[in-house]
Amino acid sequence: MLDKMFKKALKNVEKPARYIGSEYNATIKSDFDFSFALCFPDVYEIGMSHIGAKILYNILNDIDGVACERAYAPWTDMEREMRAHGIPMFSLETKKPLREFDVIGFSLLYELGYTNILTMLELAGIPFYSAMRGEDMPLVVCGGPCVCNPEPIAPFFDCVMYGDGEELIKEFTLACLDAKKRGLSKRETLNLLQKIEGVYIPSFYEPIYDGDGIVAINKVEKSAPDRVTRRILKDLDSAMYIGKPLVPHIAIVHDRVPLEIFRGCTRGCRFCQAGFIYRPVREREMGTLLSQAHMMTDCTGYDEISLFSLSSGDYSQLYPLVDTLVDNFSDKRVSLSFPSLRIDSYVKQSLERMKTVRKTGLTFAPEAGTQRLRDVINKGVTEEDLLSSVKDAFMSGWSSVKLYFMIGLPTETEDDVRGIAELAKKVKETYYSVPRELREKAPTIGVSVSSFVPKPVTPFQWVAQNTAEELMKKQAIIKQELAGVRGIELSYHDVQVSTLESVFARGDRRLADAIVYAYEHGARFDAWDELFKPDVWSEAFEHCKINRDYVAHRDRSTDELLPWSVMDPVVTKEYLEREYKRSLVPCVTKDCREGCNGCFGDRNEDYCVLQKR
Amino acid sequence: MAALATEMRIIAFFKKGDEVRFVSHLDMQRMLHRTVRRAAVPIAYSQGYNPHPLISFATALSVGQTADGELIDFKMADDIDVSEFVSMMNEFFPQGYGIARAVSVSNTFPSVSTMMVGAIYTVAVSYPDTVNDETASAKLSNAVSDLMSGAIHVRKKKKSGRRMIEKDIDIRPMVNDVSLVSCAQHEAVLRVDGRLDASGGLNIELFVGALLNAAGVSEWSYLINRDRIVLSQEM
């Protein structure tokens, strides 16, 4: 039964079913020794679409004596109601206040959710800074791609988990459970936890600043490791997956059965953080995938399966897999969708088969407008590749495609920017080159232009991001080039949002104060255009004396001590530096399925799966 | 439509409980689609490009309300024993939903929405600790007599073209009967008998709003349950 006050609050909010829990396949344990709240600092529909958290939910609830529940950031209307009615931040499964959990773990997928962490902590009655939390407070931890540079949010967390979570979360939780049973203090527990590979304890390290920069990072705790190695799951195929997927009451962003066919990517696009931090590539066997697909569709009632990975076209058994899935599921009225299609992959063969199942929108990501710039970023795709794939799609009856581009890439010139508009126009011309009888209607070419944000653990981690002014100028060029062109729909991102993202991506610990300041002055859901408050952030940086230009818009020397240098991504600095230098030539680097590029240095033997084949 | 092996339809009396009161009608339809798939009952599908299971509600239920006997019509692709259908479905519903009973009818049986004549609601009104039961009871029963003795004007939001406009309407003709059942422990229970047919019916939320307004207690909170849908013939 729902509490009376809770129901009163839910009457006043949009999408109240975000907050009710009791989804099909949710796990509710009444008998447990240890409780873990998996938190996501964004709304339910987004958080529930995240596969990583679903994997952790399944693994944690599989442990005897451990109860794992979920919590998502309340939308601003619900936050208001919770404050008005004195409702503490609660878990969906049992509506238990977050403060009563042993561990609160946040999944951090993008930097612009940081203020929502504070909303959830404050509503839970938990102090923001780990240093302010006593023995009576839960351990507050985090993981996910953002922890490649955990520094801007490090002061908020007791522990940070770096890398694949499957084994890490289990070892972490078992150690916590053991510490709880033995009655260990928080400090003693942290000492125990730091021995687990992939666990970073921010309070054990202290950066030494000089002006805007960092000159050293000292260890406060002598036994702390010099560097924290990213945890890498070696055997994906036999690892636990999401189990019986939760079936939400309301439509979520990815409302289908997600089949993770492989992890990692071999392409080496130089702007792409995911391409480096999920290395090496590890596949699941076809048989494993097929039985997972059956189990997950049977126990959810979903009628769609999506093949999920960073580059599904690269799955070594893609064609037989699609054949098998189509054979097994078309009678069951289950359709297939590919979320990220590579234009140079098996597209040509797959298109026809996909169409028989469900015709979804087609997206292509050439990323840059000219070949030179695509070589700089190592996007191994040519204009001919793109146009021939697009033509195949048009011949097969598609009339709308979406193209993804970035502006602000290193070495970009005005010609490169114009190239985006030109390429879009060529795609449109390609449509009209298709015989009239095969065309349904006028084409819609969606052109989405985002602003490049240099990320840690990429070859571009040293480069200056374009300033907001430079980015706006580039947006204006494309707008002008495409003005009055029918059938091409241009969309782009708010440059203020992209520059803020850049500050958080590569900033240091001193940013935490700015996040608190902005939060206290109303910043929430910064990734949502309608709620983004650039003035509050400017004020916050000024108040906390953060030099945004120094953090985001400055070329760094490769000798510079980076704020995240304690975090060891296993991909070596030498490799990233070499890739950075090659990009400036520009010189492309081949896909590592075609031969080893040595990204793990002398640890290739330990980690690279491809090497062993 | 391709010939089906059966003419069978199943009309189920469906319960929506407290846990899921905030699930919308559209989301509940999607829930049913998934439940029939999980339960693997032989449901019939529509033809066309995106086939969907042939399941229809007699009428929608507003977000925030619970119900004990919503009517749902399932078109079957194969014969199935009704009690087996009920137990298979009940095994696979999310928490908070269930089928209390069901009857099997043939394809020629009229659509249940055309058989609806009314609905019975239970409204639970919570009043604050500072108000005693006698006062609450007096306020509400006076308001009931007031409202029922004349027109009940409410402002209804309505779509006019693209814009939302507010319109004054009299909902008194839609109310058959109202009674105050009990008033104890800071909760008053009202029973409302309203009209409901395929073309529309009593907007219970607006009615309760008007009632609390007339009693001068518009800040009191309330919960609505639709006890049953009244049909022109028993099923």
Side-chain angles (χ1 to χ4, degrees):
Chain A
M1 293 289 274
L2 304 175
D3 170 70
K4 214 171 226 177
M5 199 59 93
F6 188 57
K7 282 188 269 207
K8 204 170 167 182
L10 290 191
K11 273 196 170 186
N12 297 326
V13 302
E14 63 171 89
K15 299 195 184 175
R18 283 170 171 168
Y19 310 104
I20 63 174
S22 80
E23 300 95 332
Y24 197 75
N25 290 332
T27 306
I28 296 178
K29 288 191 183 178
S30 49
D31 188 24
F32 54 87
D33 308 312
F34 193 83
S35 58
F36 197 119
L38 273 180
C39 298
F40 197 94
D42 210 320
V43 286
Y44 179 84
E45 299 93 298
I46 294 178
M48 271 287 283
S49 301
H50 175 225
I51 290 172
K54 287 184 190 181
I55 296 175
L56 302 183
Y57 185 76
N58 185 35
I59 290 175
L60 288 170
N61 276 319
D62 188 62
I63 305 174
D64 238 8
V66 174
C68 175
E69 306 191 7
R70 295 159 298 135
Y72 302 93
W75 189 244
T76 50
D77 55 357
M78 185 60 177
E79 183 193 341
R80 201 170 48 236
E81 291 295 317
M82 289 169 74
R83 289 184 194 278
H85 292 102
I87 299 171
M89 190 67 225
F90 55 88
S91 68
L92 289 186
E93 277 76 3
T94 60
K95 314 289 180 291
K96 186 162 88 169
L98 280 203
R99 247 195 84 165
E100 293 173 21
F101 282 83
D102 294 301
V103 175
I104 296 180
F106 285 88
S107 298
L108 303 180
L109 275 76
Y110 33 85
E111 294 83 356
L112 297 170
Y114 288 170
T115 51
N116 294 343
I117 301 170
L118 302 186
T119 312
M120 296 177 80
L121 290 177
E122 187 171 71
L123 288 172
I126 297 171
F128 299 148
Y129 292 90
S130 61
M132 307 292 286
R133 293 192 291 262
E135 294 289 328
D136 60 328
M137 288 289 170
L139 273 185
V140 182
V141 307
C142 66
C146 283
V147 310
C148 289
N149 174 18
E151 291 308 290
I153 37 108
F156 306 143
F157 292 97
D158 298 297
C159 297
V160 173
M161 288 185 240
Y162 189 24
D164 294 317
E166 282 89 347
E167 297 164 339
L168 181 51
I169 198 102
K170 189 165 180 177
E171 288 168 27
F172 174 89
T173 304
L174 290 175
C176 286
L177 179 60
D178 178 47
K180 188 184 178 184
K181 283 183 176 159
R182 285 160 55 195
L184 297 188
S185 71
K186 219 173 224 184
R187 175 75 188 207
E188 289 163 334
T189 307
L190 294 180
N191 267 318
L192 201 69
L193 292 171
Q194 66 155 340
K195 297 192 180 105
I196 301 170
E197 187 175 74
V199 171
Y200 169 59
I201 314 281
S203 60
F204 287 179
Y205 302 83
E206 184 187 26
I208 306 299
Y209 305 108
D210 179 21
D212 293 322
I214 291 179
V215 287
I217 298 172
N218 291 344
K219 276 200 275 182
V220 179
E221 166 63 52
K222 286 207 162 49
S223 63
D226 292 342
R227 299 195 78 193
V228 174
T229 310
R230 175 170 66 94
R231 195 61 187 262
I232 294 175
L233 172 71
K234 287 189 178 159
D235 183 2
L236 184 73
D237 189 58
S238 63
M240 276 181 84
Y241 189 48
I242 63 175
K244 292 181 173 178
L246 290 160
V247 186
H249 291 295
I250 59 172
I252 59 171
V253 180
H254 295 293
D255 214 357
R256 51 190 78 90
V257 162
L259 205 53
E260 189 194 23
I261 57 178
F262 65 92
R263 197 171 295 174
C265 179
T266 54
R267 300 270 168 170
C269 300
R270 291 173 182 136
F271 58 88
C272 178
Q273 190 188 46
F276 294 93
I277 65 171
Y278 293 112
R279 288 180 181 216
V281 76
R282 288 145 291 169
E283 295 194 343
R284 281 201 167 86
E285 302 288 337
M286 253 179 63
T288 311
L289 293 170
L290 187 64
S291 67
Q292 283 178 353
H294 276 294
M295 186 279 285
M296 291 193 288
T297 48
D298 288 350
C299 75
T300 57
Y302 271 123
D303 59 3
E304 191 177 351
I305 297 170
S306 85
L307 301 187
F308 174 85
S309 72
L310 289 171
S311 174
S312 293
D314 289 336
Y315 183 60
S316 63
Q317 305 291 312
L318 182 71
Y319 208 37
L321 176 67
V322 172
D323 277 343
T324 313
L325 289 174
V326 170
D327 291 347
N328 275 266
F329 288 98
S330 45
D331 283 351
K332 293 180 140 189
R333 300 175 190 277
V334 174
S335 64
L336 280 183
S337 71
F338 299 76
S340 59
L341 208 54
R342 296 263 330 191
I343 62 178
D344 57 346
S345 308
Y346 291 84
V347 174
K348 213 170 171 177
Q349 297 97 314
S350 322
L351 283 182
E352 279 305 312
R353 304 185 61 81
M354 274 179 66
K355 199 188 155 198
T356 60
V357 190
R358 182 171 286 183
K359 198 157 133 188
T360 49
L362 275 188
T363 57
F364 297 99
E367 310 291 2
T370 60
Q371 195 56 50
R372 187 199 68 83
L373 196 53
R374 282 193 294 271
D375 289 347
V376 169
I377 61 175
N378 205 42
K379 184 84 187 180
V381 157
T382 64
E383 186 170 305
E384 294 76 59
D385 289 339
L386 172 70
L387 296 180
S388 84
S389 302
V390 165
K391 186 165 185 174
D392 285 341
F394 290 151
M395 298 278 277
S396 317
W398 265 271
S399 60
S400 79
V401 296
K402 197 160 185 187
L403 307 172
Y404 285 100
F405 292 100
M406 273 187 281
I407 49 171
L409 289 164
T411 76
E412 185 178 53
T413 64
E414 278 198 22
D415 286 342
D416 296 314
V417 178
R418 285 205 178 80
I420 293 175
E422 278 155 29
L423 193 52
K425 286 181 201 164
K426 281 181 192 160
V427 169
K428 187 183 160 187
E429 283 160 24
T430 304
Y431 183 77
Y432 288 107
S433 74
V434 167
R436 183 181 290 270
E437 58 276 18
L438 294 175
R439 306 195 307 243
E440 277 179 30
K441 51 185 176 188
T444 323
I445 317 294
V447 176
S448 169
V449 180
S450 60
S451 303
F452 173 60
V453 178
K455 293 277 168 121
V457 198
T458 66
F460 294 151
Q461 64 180 353
W462 294 284
V463 310
Q465 187 194 32
N466 277 182
T467 61
E469 292 70 34
E470 288 168 320
L471 291 169
M472 280 194 295
K473 223 174 112 189
K474 289 176 179 176
Q475 287 180 344
I477 294 174
I478 303 172
K479 228 186 298 183
Q480 196 183 359
E481 293 286 323
L482 291 176
V485 180
R486 288 173 67 180
I488 297 185
E489 287 170 9
L490 176 64
S491 62
Y492 40 83
H493 290 184
D494 185 336
V495 296
Q496 307 277 1
V497 174
S498 306
T499 50
L500 182 64
E501 188 182 334
S502 178
V503 173
F504 290 137
R506 294 183 298 163
D508 64 44
R509 256 180 216 198
R510 289 172 292 185
L511 278 168
D513 292 343
I515 298 170
V516 171
Y517 183 96
Y519 168 77
E520 285 171 345
H521 289 77
R524 300 285 188 282
F525 291 96
D526 302 291
W528 298 68
D529 282 351
E530 69 267 38
L531 293 180
F532 180 58
K533 297 190 169 92
D535 296 346
V536 168
W537 283 106
S538 299
E539 210 184 294
F541 291 134
E542 202 173 311
H543 184 262
C544 300
K545 301 192 172 56
I546 306 283
N547 181 350
R548 307 170 69 157
D549 289 340
Y550 184 88
V551 181
H553 309 299
R554 170 182 67 98
D555 275 318
R556 302 183 189 206
S557 148
T558 51
D559 299 330
E560 187 175 321
L561 183 66
L562 300 168
W564 56 94
S565 54
V566 171
M567 308 303 276
D568 173 12
V570 184
V571 172
T572 63
K573 182 193 163 194
E574 291 68 32
Y575 180 73
L576 295 176
E577 197 176 337
R578 190 163 80 230
E579 278 295 291
Y580 177 32
K581 290 191 174 135
R582 286 169 72 89
S583 80
L584 298 175
V585 177
C587 184
V588 297
T589 298
K590 61 185 185 300
D591 186 318
C592 63
R593 286 184 201 251
E594 290 163 30
C596 184
N597 297 309
C599 65
F600 293 146
D602 53 17
R603 286 181 289 184
N604 255 8
E605 277 294 304
D606 301 336
Y607 289 112
C608 191
V609 184
L610 292 174
Q611 284 274 291
K612 289 181 188 133
R613 288 207 169 163
Chain B
M1 156 128 9
L4 292 170
T6 177
E7 298 275 279
M8 185 181 191
R9 276 162 55 200
I10 290 177
I11 293 168
F13 293 78
F14 175 72
K15 178 185 152 64
K16 184 190 187 194
D18 190 58
E19 303 95 315
V20 288
R21 65 165 67 239
F22 291 104
V23 175
S24 70
H25 184 67
L26 186 72
D27 291 330
M28 219 158 59
Q29 286 177 313
R30 192 179 11 240
M31 178 280 296
L32 274 171
H33 293 176
R34 288 174 184 162
T35 304
V36 295
R37 294 178 62 89
R38 289 194 294 263
V41 291
I43 196 85
Y45 277 78
S46 65
Q47 302 291 299
Y49 200 76
N50 259 326
H52 56 270
L54 294 170
I55 301 171
S56 52
F57 282 82
T59 181
L61 189 72
S62 298
V63 175
Q65 297 178 11
T66 53
D68 298 327
E70 294 301 288
L71 291 165
I72 307 176
D73 192 330
F74 296 88
K75 177 101 190 75
M76 305 312 292
D78 265 315
D79 281 324
I80 181 169
D81 180 68
V82 178
S83 62
E84 195 186 331
F85 173 83
V86 172
S87 66
M88 281 166 86
M89 287 293 286
N90 281 341
E91 193 182 329
F92 289 97
F93 274 121
Q95 221 180 65
Y97 299 108
I99 292 174
R101 68 187 180 94
V103 290
S104 127
V105 297
S106 85
N107 221 3
T108 53
F109 192 81
S111 150
V112 276
S113 62
T114 65
M115 294 163 60
M116 296 191 305
V117 291
I120 310 294
Y121 297 91
T122 296
V123 183
V125 180
S126 300
Y127 45 92
D129 296 348
T130 48
V131 178
N132 66 36
D133 297 341
E134 290 71 31
T135 315
S137 172
K139 280 187 187 220
L140 291 172
S141 42
N142 287 341
V144 168
S145 337
D146 270 8
L147 279 189
M148 297 302 283
S149 61
I152 307 173
H153 287 289
V154 292
R155 290 188 73 73
K156 193 185 174 177
K157 283 193 184 124
K158 212 182 144 189
K159 226 178 186 173
S160 165
R162 279 188 188 170
R163 290 184 309 134
M164 289 293 278
I165 54 159
E166 286 208 348
K167 212 181 137 192
D168 247 336
I169 51 162
D170 174 17
I171 55 169
R172 177 64 187 83
M174 301 303 237
V175 188
N176 296 329
D177 188 36
V178 188
S179 58
L180 181 62
V181 178
S182 65
C183 212
Q185 289 164 347
H186 306 292
E187 186 173 276
V189 176
L190 292 143
R191 187 133 303 139
V192 183
D193 177 349
R195 294 207 182 167
L196 177 64
D197 59 37
S199 64
L202 170 67
N203 184 322
I204 183 73
E205 297 275 351
L206 286 179
F207 175 75
V208 177
L211 182 79
L212 296 182
N213 229 357
V217 291
S218 52
E219 74 284 0
W220 289 2
S221 67
Y222 59 86
L223 295 169
I224 295 170
N225 180 66
R226 182 146 71 194
D227 303 350
R228 65 190 183 91
I229 291 170
V230 184
L231 299 175
S232 55
Q233 69 176 86
E234 284 297 314
M235 290 193 65

